[in-house]
């Protein structure tokens, strides 16, 4: 019995090593003093200081935060309204509509990026923050929609019916009964959308403009000249921020289940 348990654990250990060892190497070498990212010359916070003094990097970080913040708020509003509306209709094509609503999650990002680029060019929109927000909102909506819809399916319909019997209108029922009950799912979807938008590079490359640079795109362009220790430091900070956001989303989801 012990051997049967050790074999799966052994393969699990190999998988974890393959996935997380490269990440660990990046984190470790972000705290070294050498200009060559793969040569250790002692512990130092030099590249974190260089990173915070880099003006173009600060602008890219600011743009990424603005983009992710606006996109996740837009996705929360649209995704929540779509999920609420989906639970109230009784069409035969309801399942098909829900399936198509989640397609942006399944379609490869490079395809989405090309589609957005062609579509925005057809509309004559100047590429920049506007096109970035529209594209990121579109592919973030399914994350909120899926979480809120699954939460709404589990709600007791008698709660909203009781509110209507007491004279509350549709708007009041939503804000006083439905929204407080689905708020954890909305918050979890927003956190996940923020992380997805903040880390996206593929779609952003297709729809960004010359005057607008996001953090992932800047990292990608810098890596063409080799990975510098500054990029290692930046990657470590982004990794830590993303892990915190995803952990927050998971904690909200688990608390909601209880």
């Amino acid at each position: 019995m012990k051997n049967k348990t050790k074999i799966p654990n052994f393969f699990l250990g190999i998988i974890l090593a393959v996935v997380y060892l490269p990440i660990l190497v990046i984190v470790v070498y972000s705290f070294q003093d050498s200009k060559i990212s793969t040569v250790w010359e002692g512990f130092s916070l030099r590249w974190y200081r260089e990173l915070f003094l880099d003006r173009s990097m600060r602008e890219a970080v600011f743009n990424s935060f603005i983009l992710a913040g606006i996109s996740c708020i837009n996705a929360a509003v649209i995704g929540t309204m779509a999920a609420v509306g989906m639970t109230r209709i009784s069409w035969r094509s309801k399942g098909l509509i829900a399936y198509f609503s989640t397609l942006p999650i399944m379609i490869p990002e490079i395809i989405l990026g090309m589609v957005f680029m062609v579509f925005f060019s057809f509309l004559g929109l100047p590429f920049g923050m506007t096109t970035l927000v529209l594209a990121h909102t579109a592919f973030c909506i399914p994350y909120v929609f899926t979480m809120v819809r699954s939460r709404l399916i589990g709600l007791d319909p008698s709660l909203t019916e009781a509110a209507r019997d007491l004279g509350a209108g549709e708007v009041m029922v939503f804000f006083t009964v439905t929204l407080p009950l689905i708020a954890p799912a909305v918050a979890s979807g927003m956190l996940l959308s923020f992380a997805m938008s903040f880390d996206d590079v593929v779609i952003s490359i297709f729809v960004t403009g010359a005057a607008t640079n996001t953090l992932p795109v800047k990292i990608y362009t810098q890596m063409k000249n080799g990975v510098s220790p500054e990029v290692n430091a930046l990657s470590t900070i982004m990794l830590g921020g993303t892990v915190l956001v995803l952990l927050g989303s998971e904690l909200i989801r688990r608390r909601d289940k209880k």
Side-chain angles (χ1 to χ4, degrees), residues 10-32:
F10 173 74
F11 285 106
L12 177 61
I14 292 176
I15 293 172
L16 292 176
V18 170
V19 173
Y20 290 106
L21 273 179
I23 298 176
L24 181 62
V25 170
I26 292 294
V27 173
V28 170
Y29 275 92
S30 68
F31 294 99
Q32 55 94 20

Side-chain angles (χ1 to χ4, degrees), residues 129-140:
M129 185 57 73
T130 301
T131 53
L132 281 168
V133 168
L134 291 174
H136 281 226
T137 298
F139 85 84
C140 284

Side-chain angles (χ1 to χ4, degrees), residues 41-187:
E41 291 185 359
F43 179 85
S44 175
L45 296 176
R46 169 187 176 184
W47 300 109
Y48 287 90
R49 291 193 297 269
E50 294 287 340
L51 179 62
F52 287 115
L53 293 175
D54 191 335
R55 181 179 177 181
S56 62
M57 195 69 74
R58 292 200 306 269
E59 291 178 355
V61 171
F62 178 76
N63 288 338
S64 291
F65 272 109
I66 294 296
L67 173 61
I70 296 175
S71 299
C72 77
I73 292 173
N74 291 343
V77 174
I78 299 172
T80 301
M81 294 295 101
V84 171
M86 188 66 66
T87 58
R88 295 182 179 180
I89 63 175
S90 56
W91 301 343
R92 291 184 178 180
S93 58
K94 180 178 178 179
L96 185 63
I97 295 173
Y99 173 77
F100 278 109
S101 300
T102 58
L103 274 181
I105 298 177
M106 296 176 280
I107 297 175
E109 287 190 4
I110 192 169
I111 303 299
L112 280 178
M114 293 174 62
V115 170
F116 285 133
M117 181 183 67
V118 173
F119 181 67
F120 294 147
S121 298
F122 175 77
L123 294 179
L125 290 176
F127 287 88
M129 185 57 73
T130 301
T131 53
L132 281 168
V133 168
L134 291 174
H136 281 226
T137 298
F139 85 84
C140 284
I141 288 174
Y143 296 101
V144 179
F145 173 80
T146 303
M147 291 189 175
V148 175
R149 183 168 176 263
S150 61
R151 175 59 176 153
L152 285 168
I153 292 174
L155 289 182
D156 187 355
S158 63
L159 296 174
T160 55
E161 292 173 1
R164 293 193 188 95
D165 291 340
L166 293 173
E170 290 291 336
V171 177
M172 184 175 291
V173 169
F174 174 76
F175 282 104
T176 59
V177 179
T178 306
L179 186 58
L181 292 173
I182 65 174
V186 175

